[in-house]
């Protein structure tokens, strides 16, 4: 992605003039000249040009280039060339697009996202003319806030150890790899009804119902205070006894909600698949009874640690004496 496109406006005019200089060969005094009808002032221009080449070591190249452009006698352009100030490159659009691609295609962390914005801004600055106004400057903080707000979601998880953020299976598979694999599965079979592959949707559903031994997911919540008063005694026990409360800001594409799982299973069920139809119906009924106020979310990937943005003592922990 870090490709710096060629800027025709920055091509030195000196190189263009060199290509137009006649090739000189030694001739005998009586040998006819192939350039008898050339303008008389051509030799003067040639001498002036060569003198400028000799002066390059002592003259600033940038100022010399400007001088050549300002002197029509020494800076000749092709008939269709116009020595004008190049148009402004849409720097803001470029930086914003690069930021969105970093969030959606690479699953960048917030630190990596900010770094990508800085790099894109530096690159676009090289294309902007010296006459760019202040209004054309890139507000990197604003772009960061916009992309982070649209492409990421902040979730929390009660934990005792940092390693508690790992799933039971597929520990070494990153979230963005799962996203790409899911997209590849969709494209290989056309346009399936379910939003997610059926096998993953079933795993997600059973994870939400407590069966996590073969799950590639990790549970988090939007509002940890809701877990403290959950009707699920296991959820309350976790909230009341965990030592720390961790905050993660993760790409939205790696997060599954109960509604996502329900719709995927419901649309993907096949009445001809008698081996699974009953289990799917039971799972959907079970998920439908789950209290929505718990705001449970599932992260699909083994690199949740990369997205940790805070680690605090659990404010909801109860003393063992209570």
């Amino acid at each position: 992605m870090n490709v710096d496109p060629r800027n025709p406006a920055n091509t030195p005019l000196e190189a263009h003039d060199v290509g137009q200089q006649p090739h000189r060969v030694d001739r005998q005094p009586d040998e006819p000249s192939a350039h008898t009808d050339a303008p008389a002032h051509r030799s003067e221009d040639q001498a002036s040009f060569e003198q400028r080449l000799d002066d390059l070591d002592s003259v600033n190249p940038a100022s010399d280039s400007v001088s050549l452009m300002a002197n029509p006698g020494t800076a000749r352009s092709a008939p269709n060339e116009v020595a004008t100030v190049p148009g402004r490159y849409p720097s803001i659009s470029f930086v914003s697009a690069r930021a969105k691609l970093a969030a959606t295609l690479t699953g960048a962390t917030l630190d990596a996202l900010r770094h990508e914005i800085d790099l894109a801004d530096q690159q676009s600055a090289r294309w902007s003319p010296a006459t760019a106004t202040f209004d054309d400057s890139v507000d990197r903080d604003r772009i960061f806030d916009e992309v982070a707000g649209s492409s990421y979601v902040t979730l929390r998880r009660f934990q005792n150890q940092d390693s508690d953020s790992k799933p039971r299976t597929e520990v070494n598979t990153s979230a963005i790899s799962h996203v790409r694999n899911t997209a590849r599965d969709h494209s290989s079979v056309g346009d399936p009804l379910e939003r997610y592959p059926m096998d993953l949707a079933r795993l997600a559903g059973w994870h939400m119902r407590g069966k996590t031994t073969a799950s590639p997911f990790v549970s988090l919540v939007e509002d940890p205070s809701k877990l403290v008063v959950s009707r699920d005694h296991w959820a309350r026990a976790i909230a009341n006894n965990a030592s720390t409360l961790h905050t993660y800001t993760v790409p939205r594409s790696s997060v599954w909600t109960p509604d996502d799982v329900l719709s995927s299973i419901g649309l993907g069920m096949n009445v001809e698949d008698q081996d699974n139809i009953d289990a799917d119906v039971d799972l959907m009924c079970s998920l439908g009874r789950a209290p929505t106020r718990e705001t449970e979310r599932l992260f699909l990937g083994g690199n949740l640690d990369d997205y940790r943005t805070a680690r605090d003592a659990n404010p909801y922990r109860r003393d063992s004496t209570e």
Side-chain angles (χ1 to χ4, degrees):
M1 294 172 60
N2 292 317
V3 178
D4 192 358
R6 184 182 299 276
N7 187 350
N10 291 334
T11 303
L13 291 180
E14 293 87 345
H16 184 72
D17 286 340
V18 170
Q20 291 185 353
Q21 302 308 320
H23 180 65
R24 294 180 299 176
V25 296
D26 295 330
R27 297 195 307 269
Q28 297 299 326
D30 57 347
E31 183 178 352
S33 171
H35 303 284
T36 55
D37 57 348
H41 60 77
R42 180 64 175 174
S43 60
E44 297 178 1
D45 290 343
Q46 176 70 19
S48 175
F49 175 77
E50 293 179 352
Q51 181 61 44
R52 290 183 182 279
L53 291 180
D54 293 337
D55 294 341
L56 285 179
D57 291 337
S58 58
V59 179
N60 187 309
S63 62
D64 191 52
S65 177
V66 172
S67 176
L68 288 173
M69 292 179 64
N71 187 346
T74 58
R76 291 184 176 83
S77 300
N80 295 329
E81 289 182 357
V82 180
T84 59
V85 177
R88 293 186 177 89
Y89 189 88
S91 300
I92 296 177
S93 298
F94 171 76
V95 176
S96 179
R98 281 279 294 269
K100 293 176 182 176
L101 288 175
T104 57
L105 294 184
T106 71
T109 64
L110 290 185
D111 287 341
L113 174 64
R114 190 176 292 279
H115 181 64
E116 182 66 24
I117 291 173
D118 291 343
L119 289 178
D121 186 24
Q122 294 171 16
Q123 186 175 22
S124 67
R126 295 199 296 270
W127 305 331
S128 300
T131 57
T133 64
F134 177 78
D135 293 339
D136 294 326
S137 62
V138 175
D139 188 340
R140 290 180 290 185
D141 290 337
R142 182 180 62 81
I143 293 176
F144 175 85
D145 291 340
E146 289 178 352
V147 175
S150 62
S151 301
Y152 293 80
V153 59
T154 298
L155 301 172
R156 291 173 174 82
R157 177 174 170 81
F158 291 98
Q159 297 179 204
N160 290 316
Q161 305 291 335
D162 287 354
S163 59
D164 292 343
S165 61
K166 295 291 184 181
R168 297 296 180 87
T169 63
E170 301 186 47
V171 176
N172 296 321
T173 305
S174 68
I176 195 62
S177 295
H178 275 300
V179 172
R180 290 170 180 165
N181 291 338
T182 299
R184 190 178 299 112
D185 290 342
H186 278 203
S187 63
S188 65
V189 297
D191 185 18
L193 289 175
E194 68 271 13
R195 177 178 176 182
Y196 300 109
M198 194 63 172
D199 56 342
L200 279 177
R202 287 174 177 141
L203 286 173
W206 288 118
H207 183 111
M208 290 180 174
R209 302 319 302 149
K211 297 181 179 180
T212 63
T213 55
S215 174
F217 296 91
V218 180
S219 292
L220 304 98
V221 292
E222 288 186 352
D223 187 349
S225 66
K226 300 294 180 60
L227 210 63
V228 179
V229 295
S230 171
R231 292 182 298 181
D232 185 334
H233 71 280
W234 288 109
R236 292 198 310 274
I238 292 173
N240 292 330
N241 294 286
S243 59
T244 55
L245 180 62
H246 295 237
T247 301
Y248 300 91
T249 305
V250 301
R252 290 183 181 273
S253 58
S254 64
V255 176
W256 293 41
T257 69
D259 287 342
D260 296 333
V261 178
L262 275 170
S263 62
S264 294
I265 296 176
L267 291 173
M269 282 194 308
N270 188 345
V271 294
E272 297 178 357
D273 184 6
Q274 294 299 325
D275 293 336
N276 293 305
I277 187 68
D278 292 338
D280 289 340
V281 171
D282 290 342
L283 179 55
M284 290 187 64
C285 292
S286 178
L287 288 173
R289 292 192 297 268
T292 57
R293 64 175 180 273
E294 292 182 6
T295 65
E296 181 178 12
R297 301 291 180 261
L298 297 184
F299 175 84
L300 179 59
N303 62 327
L304 183 58
D305 284 350
D306 296 343
Y307 300 101
R308 183 185 291 112
T309 53
R311 182 193 295 105
D312 302 295
N314 180 9
Y316 308 102
R317 186 176 185 180
R318 294 184 177 179
D319 295 335
S320 57
T321 56
E322 291 185 4

